[in-house]
Amino acid sequence: MMVGLDYGNARLRAMRSRLLSEADYDGLVAVESMDGLVAALATTAYAADLDAALPRFTGLRRFDEVVRHHLVRVLGALPRFYERPHDGIVGLLTDRWDLQNLRTIIRGASRLEAADEMLRMTVPIGRLGTAELSELAMQPSLRYVIDLMVAWRIPSRATAQAVRDAWPAYERSGDLVVLESALNRAFAKRLDEVLADDESAAAVALRSEVDEINLLTSLRLQTARAAGEVTRSDTEENHEFLTGGRIRPDTLTRAAATDDRPTAVSLLDGVRLVPGWSLALNDWAESDDLVALAEALRLASTRHAVGLFARGDPLGYDVPVAFVRAQEHEARNLRWIGRGIAHGLDRSAVESNVVVVR
């Protein structure tokens, strides 16, 4: 019988030892072919996932399927380790993937992609299983996808209705950001309600994901305004930031409305930011490279979250947060390695973007 978080946390601490080590990564980046890369995984925790891909696929597609299968197998088991997993932080951790999967389906349906093409990009870890995602992917148009979300309350009644309410705006603009923003807002609202006054490190890590989205949105608006693409009134009045973050919306609005990057960054002085974000923001103020900023913020957030293994509460939700972020980062590393080798990049180029965080 499970008592508190003890059982689940003990399981995840044991599973942490199966994360790829620096030596594992060294071995993977040293291979010179996709067949060699798949073979190298046979000596790691991914060995159990090889059979799912070997008979059906080849090359990069086979490698991607191994990584995807492993992510589903490992993180999909998470709710079984905890009592009432869908009610709290564990549910938020896995349900983040429902949003990702729905974004994939929405984008694919808008381009009339085949169902198989959409489904191979999904990772059924949250409440939406393969059956629900398959049914969505097989709908004849994006409008039918939205209608089915509402009829089946996918992934919840509130989220499905939020996307349905955004449909007229999408029809007018043709911009998928309208629908994706509705998904994000619904999830952020739920996150804020679930976490409420929780100030634990695990809650802060989840709220920082909202902060990351809001901060990048604010600075993209600042860049667009500085380039004359939007007006000050657009940035001050016409944007709604996600709820649930720790950075105040008025601070984000003022940063978006500034005339230059250093001023925008200075407005964040004194704000409780994830360690490493201040350095990333200062680099952006000099470089104006939003892509590099997004990657730097994500990596700093990952390091901070995974660091909860060592400094967090061993009896709290810090452990599942650390494990999930570590496993997700590992998948990102592997996908980069696969693409580097598939496209013939030399070893140093592949290694340059592999960061070991465990």
Side-chain angles (χ1 to χ4, degrees), residues 67-114:
V67 175
R68 174 182 174 275
H69 189 271
H70 184 80
L71 200 59
V72 173
R73 180 171 63 85
V74 174
L75 294 188
L78 192 70
R80 298 199 296 269
F81 301 157
Y82 295 93
E83 295 175 338
R84 301 178 62 189
H86 296 299
D87 294 340
I89 286 178
V90 172
L92 291 174
L93 283 169
T94 55
D95 289 355
R96 290 149 66 245
W97 282 95
D98 284 341
L99 264 69
Q100 179 61 34
N101 292 333
L102 286 171
R103 281 193 289 266
T104 297
I105 298 293
I106 286 171
R107 291 170 189 173
S110 73
R111 297 189 290 263
L112 301 178
E113 289 182 358

